[in-house]
Amino acid sequence: MQRIAIVGSGIAGLGTAWLLDGKAEITVFEAANRAGGHANTVMAGEQPVDTGFIVLNDRNYPFFESLLAELDVETRASDMSFAVSIGDGAIEWAGDSWRTLFAQKSRLFDQRHWRMIGDILRFNRQAKQLIETDALPAISLGEFLDRYNYSDAFAARYLLPMAAAIWSTPTADMRAFPVGAFLRFFDNHGLLELSNRPQWKTIVGGSQRYVQAIAKRLGGRLRLATPVARVRRDENGAHVTLASGKTETFDQVVFACHADQTRAMLDDASALESSVLSAFRFQSNRAILHSDIALLPRRRRVWAAWNYLADRDGVDNQRVTVSYWMNRLQSIAGERQYVVSLNPRVEPKARHVIREIEYDHPVFDGEAIAAQGRLDEIQGADRAWFCGAWCGYGFHEDGLASAVRVARGLDVDVPWSGRDG
C-alpha cells in the first residue's frame, strides 16, 4: 500500500483523503490549527454562521452532494437572490420580482434602468446562442461587452457586480475574465434563465458539519498546525520537510493547496511545473462577520442573499463591498441580523463585529484558464499531484472534482458520477 502525503485540508485535501482512505496510507498536513479551509463556520454565541463556503445547488454540485450523502450531512433550501445598492442607496434594486426591480419608483422613469433590463434579456439570448453554436469568441468579458455595445448600466449595475460577488473579485478586474469560460459558467448555473434555476442549499449547522465528519474519520492522520516547508523528490520518494525541520518520506505527495503555495514548497519543480503553477494568481479578501445592517441596502425590501454596494454608478477601481445576508442564506431566525461583508468600503461598527477572517481567492484571467488546460501534463509526472478549487471555477465542487481526478489518476475507483473534466 502506497504512503501518500496530502498537503492542505480544504475541500480538495479532505476530498482526496476521503477517497484514498483504505486504499493508501495517508497523512494530511494542515498549516492552520483547524481543518476545512474556506469551509469555515463561526459560532456567534450558539448560532453557527458560515463565512467562506456557503451554498451549493442540486444541479452543479454532484460530487459534493454525493459526499454529503455518504457523510449523512443534512442540507436545507436557500437562494441566490441578488441586490445592488449604489451611492448610499441612490440607486437600489433586487432581482426577486418586479416589485424589487422597481423598489425605487424613480427607476420607472430611468431610461438607463430600462436599458439594463433590455440588455439582460439580450445578453442571455446571445450567450445561449453562442454556446449552442460553439461560437464563443476568444476575448475577455470586457472586450465582449464593448464589441456588442452593452450599456454602461448593464455592466455597472448588473453583470460585473454579480460576477464580482460570485468570484470575490474587484468589479473592474472581472473585465479580464475570458468570456468563453464566463458564459459557460453562467449557463451551467442557470444564470442565463429567468426561471428554471437550480435549487440552492446550505448545510444545516454550517459547513463545519462535513469537515468534522471527515476529520473524525481521519483521526490522528490529520495533523493540524503542521505546516510543510518544502518538498523534494528523488528515486527514493517524495521527501516532505516540515517547518519544524523534521523530514518524512512518502511514495506520492498531493498538493491540495493554492498553486502559489505549492510552487513555493516544491523545491525541485521542473520548468513545466513552474510554468503551469506560476500562471495562477490569488486575491486576498477580508471577510467580516458582523450584525451592522448599515452594510446592507438602505431599503429593507431590497435586502437579498447577496448584496453589492458601491459608491459610484460606474466600473472603475472604486472600493466596493459584497455583503451576504446570512439570515436569508442559512434560514437564521430571530431579531439579530448576521452579515458577512467582503472588503467593506465602510467598516462595520466595532460593537457589531463578531469575527474577521482573511481568504485568498483565485483570479481567473486568460493565463490561468490556459494553464488549467495544461494541468494533465504535470499530474503525477514526478510523484506530485495537484488539486484545488483553482483547477476549475474556484468553487467547492471544483475542489472536490479535482480531488476525484487525482484519485482516479492514482487508480482509485470513485463511485460518484459528475462533471470531472
Side-chain angles (χ1 to χ4, degrees):
M1 190 176 285
Q2 289 200 91
R3 297 185 70 238
I4 298 178
I6 301 169
V7 184
S9 70
I11 179 59
L14 292 178
T16 301
W18 180 262
L19 293 168
L20 298 185
D21 192 25
K23 288 90 173 176
E25 294 181 20
I26 56 174
T27 302
V28 182
F29 297 100
E30 170 56 55
N33 59 9
R34 66 169 187 88
H38 286 207
N40 186 6
T41 307
V42 170
M43 296 304 297
E46 298 296 316
Q47 178 62 56
V49 185
D50 279 326
T51 61
F53 164 71
I54 301 171
V55 292
L56 63 143
N57 71 50
D58 61 353
R59 186 182 303 173
N60 304 106
Y61 288 70
F63 288 140
F64 190 57
E65 286 206 314
S66 297
L67 176 63
L68 295 182
E70 286 194 16
L71 298 172
D72 196 25
V73 171
E74 184 183 356
T75 61
R76 64 160 59 98
S78 183
D79 71 65
M80 274 273 281
S81 57
F82 181 69
V84 170
S85 179
I86 297 172
D88 198 26
I91 299 170
E92 286 191 337
W93 66 273
D96 294 73
S97 65
W98 284 101
R99 178 175 171 271
T100 57
L101 191 58
F102 292 95
Q104 293 174 287
K105 295 296 186 288
S106 60
R107 298 280 80 81
L108 287 165
F109 309 100
D110 180 355
Q111 291 302 312
R112 295 188 71 208
H113 197 65
W114 283 105
R115 173 74 186 276
M116 178 192 79
I117 295 170
D119 276 348
I120 292 172
L121 299 175
R122 178 165 70 96
F123 178 82
N124 291 352
R125 288 194 304 269
Q126 183 180 17
K128 285 188 284 189
Q129 182 180 27
L130 289 171
I131 291 168
E132 289 169 2
T133 58
D134 195 24
L136 293 166
I139 57 177
S140 70
L141 178 60
E143 290 170 326
F144 180 85
L145 295 176
D146 294 340
R147 176 181 295 183
Y148 294 102
N149 195 32
Y150 282 98
S151 65
D152 291 342
F154 170 75
R157 298 184 186 180
Y158 172 74
L159 189 69
L160 297 180
M162 182 181 291
I166 291 171
W167 277 284
S168 304
T169 299
T171 314
D173 290 353
M174 284 307 307
R175 288 180 57 89
F177 203 114
V179 74
F182 184 92
L183 296 183
R184 289 191 197 94
F185 176 88
F186 262 52
D187 184 47
N188 289 339
H189 286 73
L191 296 174
L192 300 177
E193 307 287 344
L194 297 182
S195 59
N196 191 33
R197 290 188 170 184
Q199 175 61 61
W200 289 91
K201 307 173 185 180
T202 58
I203 295 175
V204 177
S207 58
Q208 64 179 346
R209 292 286 310 285
Y210 91 80
V211 175
Q212 290 168 346
I214 297 178
K216 182 178 180 181
R217 168 84 169 262
L218 294 175
R221 293 172 296 167
L222 171 59
R223 293 160 62 177
L224 302 178
T226 309
V228 171
R230 62 186 180 275
V231 175
R232 181 179 54 81
R233 300 156 294 174
D234 59 26
E235 65 277 6
N236 298 315
H239 308 287
V240 176
T241 300
L242 307 178
S244 65
K246 180 182 179 182
T247 296
E248 301 181 33
T249 299
F250 298 85
D251 298 301
Q252 309 277 345
V253 59
V254 177
F255 290 97
C257 45
H258 292 165
D260 56 345
Q261 297 170 328
T262 300
R263 177 63 193 88
M265 279 183 268
L266 202 49
D267 251 10
D268 55 356
S270 68
L272 181 57
E273 287 171 334
S274 293
S275 173
V276 172
L277 295 172
S278 298
F280 296 92
R281 296 184 296 117
F282 293 81
Q283 164 87 26
S284 181
N285 293 298
R286 289 173 65 223
I288 302 178
L289 170 61
H290 61 90
S291 57
D292 189 349
I293 63 173
L295 277 79
L296 290 170
R298 293 192 65 182
R299 295 162 180 81
R300 176 69 180 252
R301 64 181 175 276
V302 176
W303 290 7
W306 300 39
N307 303 271
Y308 172 91
L309 294 84
D311 287 329
R312 299 182 295 279
D313 187 15
V315 177
D316 51 32
N317 289 320
Q318 65 173 304
R319 194 170 181 182
V320 302
T321 301
V322 176
S323 286
Y324 306 97
W325 182 24
M326 302 307 299
N327 296 65
R328 180 165 178 173
L329 278 162
Q330 291 190 278
S331 301
I332 299 174
E335 291 294 318
R336 189 179 192 187
Q337 304 304 316
Y338 294 97
V339 182
V340 174
S341 293
L342 211 60
N343 303 323
R345 61 193 179 92
V346 177
E347 294 294 314
K349 294 181 179 64
R351 68 178 183 273
H352 294 304
V353 173
I354 300 167
R355 185 75 58 83
E356 179 174 336
I357 305 120
E358 189 166 299
Y359 294 112
D360 289 335
H361 295 96
V363 176
F364 293 105
D365 53 19
E367 189 177 359
I369 298 297
Q372 286 180 345
R374 300 169 61 201
L375 278 169
D376 283 346
E377 298 175 36
I378 63 173
Q379 289 287 19
D382 186 12
R383 300 183 185 273
W385 302 81
F386 309 92
C387 58
W390 54 272
C391 299
Y393 285 107
F395 301 101
H396 238 54
E397 180 72 8
D398 298 301
L400 189 52
S402 71
V404 167
R405 288 193 292 274
V406 166
R408 288 178 174 161
L410 289 164
D411 296 322
V412 172
D413 181 51
V414 178
W416 310 330
S417 60
R419 285 189 292 270
D420 61 331

